[in-house]
Amino acid sequence: LIVDPGRYTYAENSSPNWRVLFRGTSYHNTVTVDGKHQARYEERKGKHKIRGPHAAFELTGLGQGMFRGRVVSPEYDAIHEREIRVLNSRNFLIVDQLSGVTSHQYDLWFHLSPSAQGCVATRGAAVTAPGIRMEQLAPAALSIEDGWISPTYGIKHPAPIVRYTAVGTHTRFETHIEVLA
């Protein structure tokens, strides 16, 4: 299944910096633009803090199993709009629309549970893992990345990440997700 990777640590003194990784945009089952976080995160006196303008966001429940969100980040010119549609108790459609002024690399990240480690199968733009099947209905390159989840502070387990990539000024991802019995 798709999971929230957790927090892992508040410590700043590791390489890689696990705190920055786990709190970053790519670890939140969403889209990164040119590999950047939605908000700037800089170290100051041994602590990372968000500096400068924050990303502006809106979240709206549209009723009937539909939700819509919008993010405007000061880190890039693209605007990200996401709509989640609950089709039924086992099927969901997530539509990510990204509109930029200039061309960008857009990466859509989904973190799978550790039970999927070594059990991910791909076919075209479809991914099957224990408990889930997802398919990208819009043109995008698919890759499976190595990642981590942290179910408890201080503990991390390897877990795969599904990554869809598209390049352009405007991009649309349409991800159909089916929870398997």
Side-chain angles (χ1 to χ4, degrees):
L1 295 177
I2 297 171
V3 298
D4 181 315
R7 185 63 170 198
Y8 182 56
T9 186
Y10 292 99
E12 301 279 349
N13 57 355
S14 64
S15 182
N17 187 322
W18 293 106
R19 179 179 172 146
V20 172
L21 178 72
F22 272 86
R23 76 161 303 281
T25 302
S26 67
Y27 262 59
H28 283 85
N29 298 311
T30 190
V31 179
T32 55
V33 178
D34 297 328
K36 295 179 180 177
H37 299 296
Q38 289 176 349
R40 188 170 299 158
Y41 197 59
E42 298 173 346
E43 188 168 357
R44 183 174 181 195
K45 295 184 181 177
K47 293 185 179 180
H48 280 78
K49 299 193 185 244
I50 295 173
R51 298 275 179 237
H54 297 284
F57 66 92
E58 302 169 11
L59 179 62
T60 308
L62 303 175
Q64 308 243 348
M66 290 181 64
F67 304 89
R68 183 173 294 144
R70 183 174 192 265
V71 174
V72 178
S73 171
E75 297 300 307
Y76 41 80
D77 64 47
I79 295 173
H80 178 196
E81 295 179 299
R82 173 174 271 188
E83 187 171 289
I84 301 172
R85 301 175 193 164
V86 179
L87 304 176
N88 59 45
S89 63
R90 293 180 35 196
N91 288 276
F92 306 86
L93 182 66
I94 300 175
V95 178
D96 291 288
Q97 181 73 39
L98 295 116
S99 301
V101 175
T102 60
S103 184
H104 297 283
Q105 177 174 316
Y106 299 106
D107 293 297
L108 173 58
W109 307 85
F110 289 108
H111 294 260
L112 303 181
S113 69
S115 66
Q117 190 70 15
C119 300
V120 176
T122 62
R123 183 173 183 174
V127 175
T128 304
I132 194 166
R133 181 180 186 281
M134 67 174 59
E135 183 171 9
Q136 187 53 238
L137 305 176
L142 167 65
S143 62
I144 305 300
E145 312 276 328
D146 293 331
W148 301 91
I149 69 111
S150 177
T152 305
Y153 182 80
I155 296 172
K156 66 183 185 325
H157 301 289
I161 304 169
V162 176
R163 178 182 183 182
Y164 291 107
T165 301
V167 176
T169 306
H170 305 287
T171 295
R172 181 179 176 94
F173 295 106
E174 296 179 29
T175 312
H176 176 253
I177 298 171
E178 179 183 6
V179 178
L180 303 175

